[in-house]
């Protein structure tokens, strides 16, 4: 884990993995720790994801924390204000500007914590997450449990035949699967 030497020292943390791996739960845990330490925290999510709540980040384990829904990454920059810690959930849904935005926030001395899917349902790198992983100071890969065999799982199996990269949903559409049990969708 990172240790703060100077309180103006910024960095980027990425929490990534498949669906049902506890990414949002880990993000909420880190943000709560910062709030308990009375650090100013700004929390964002893309406006696209309103599965559970329009103004909260909600984990599958039903923990939640208030968040601002934004349409673009630039809004994060505008709305972070004096926050020392900036949390961003479902980071894979943002346009590529998210990389520049995270970089700028970190350069400004903020601790940026991003959570998101590292792979899409075809097991391909998702959106700007690979670039974020490259520039991040700290990476946590969370694992789910395979719904077929119980092994550690880092892939997301889509159960429907929809071929859009983004189909927002949860248990009824997706399952966590291990490398062995995952089957790639036919092209
Ligand atoms: Zn399996």
């Amino acid at each position: 884990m990172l240790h703060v030497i100077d309180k103006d020292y910024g960095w980027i943390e990425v929490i990534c993995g498949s669906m049902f791996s506890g990414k949002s739960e880990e993000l909420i845990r880190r943000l709560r720790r910062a709030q308990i330490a009375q650090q100013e925290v700004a929390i964002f999510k893309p406006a696209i994801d309103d599965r559970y709540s329009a103004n909260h980040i909600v984990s599958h384990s039903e923990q939640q924390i208030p968040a601002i829904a934004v349409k673009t990454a630039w809004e994060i920059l505008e709305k972070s204000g004096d926050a020392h810690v900036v949390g961003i959930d479902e980071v894979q849904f943002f346009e590529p500007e998210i990389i520049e935005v995270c970089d700028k926030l970190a350069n400004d001395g903020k601790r940026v914590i991003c959570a998101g899917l590292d792979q899409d349902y075809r097991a391909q790198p998702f959106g700007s997450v690979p670039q974020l992983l490259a520039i991040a100071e700290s990476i946590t890969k969370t694992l789910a449990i395979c719904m077929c065999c119980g092994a550690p799982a880092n892939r997301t199996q889509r159960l429907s035949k929809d071929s859009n990269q983004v189909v927002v949903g949860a248990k009824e559409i997706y399952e966590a699967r291990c490398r062995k049990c995952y089957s790639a969708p036919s092209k």
Side-chain angles (χ1 to χ4, degrees):
M1 214 41 233
L2 293 157
H3 297 276
V4 187
I5 297 157
D6 180 329
K7 79 176 177 52
D8 294 324
Y9 187 90
W11 70 73
I12 300 169
E13 295 165 38
V14 181
I15 303 159
C16 65
S18 67
M19 286 187 71
F20 314 108
S21 64
K23 301 181 298 296
S24 300
E25 195 176 337
E26 176 60 17
L27 175 65
I28 292 168
R29 190 190 71 80
R30 292 188 194 179
L31 293 170
R32 284 253 165 78
R33 299 280 83 66
Q35 286 174 330
I36 288 166
Q38 303 201 316
Q39 294 179 337
E40 200 175 323
V41 172
I43 307 169
F44 301 94
K45 58 183 248 172
I48 184 179
D49 181 31
D50 58 359
R51 274 172 293 183
Y52 306 108
S53 165
N55 51 11
H56 283 80
I57 292 171
V58 183
S59 72
H60 292 293
S61 58
E62 292 172 8
Q63 295 183 54
Q64 53 176 301
I65 197 164
I68 302 166
V70 291
K71 290 205 171 68
T72 69
W74 299 117
E75 277 181 70
I76 297 174
L77 213 50
E78 291 163 20
K79 294 177 178 167
S80 291
D82 292 329
H84 180 62
V85 180
V86 178
I88 307 168
D89 197 20
E90 301 289 0
V91 72
Q92 77 280 355
F93 288 148
F94 285 100
E95 299 292 314
E97 296 86 60
I98 190 71
I99 300 155
E100 201 181 329
V101 166
C102 289
D103 214 26
K104 182 154 182 14
L105 290 166
N107 289 344
D108 287 347
K110 298 182 195 299
R111 175 185 175 198
V112 183
I113 315 172
C114 301
L117 292 164
D118 48 4
Q119 299 168 56
D120 65 13
Y121 77 103
R122 298 163 305 167
Q124 298 301 307
F126 206 138
S128 301
V129 175
Q131 280 87 347
L132 277 174
L133 291 172
I135 63 167
E137 273 84 352
S138 159
I139 297 165
T140 302
K141 282 235 182 190
T142 49
L143 290 169
I145 292 172
C146 177
M147 290 285 283
C148 296
C149 74
N154 79 333
R155 295 193 179 177
T156 304
Q157 184 77 52
R158 182 180 287 174
L159 304 174
S160 76
K161 294 228 180 307
D162 201 313
S163 62
N164 289 315
Q165 188 184 36
V166 178
V167 175
V168 174
K171 284 195 176 113
E172 69 287 359
I173 308 180
Y174 297 104
E175 265 181 21
R177 296 271 180 97
C178 73
R179 184 180 288 277
K180 217 172 92 192
C181 298
Y182 170 83
S183 63
S186 48
K187 298 225 167 70

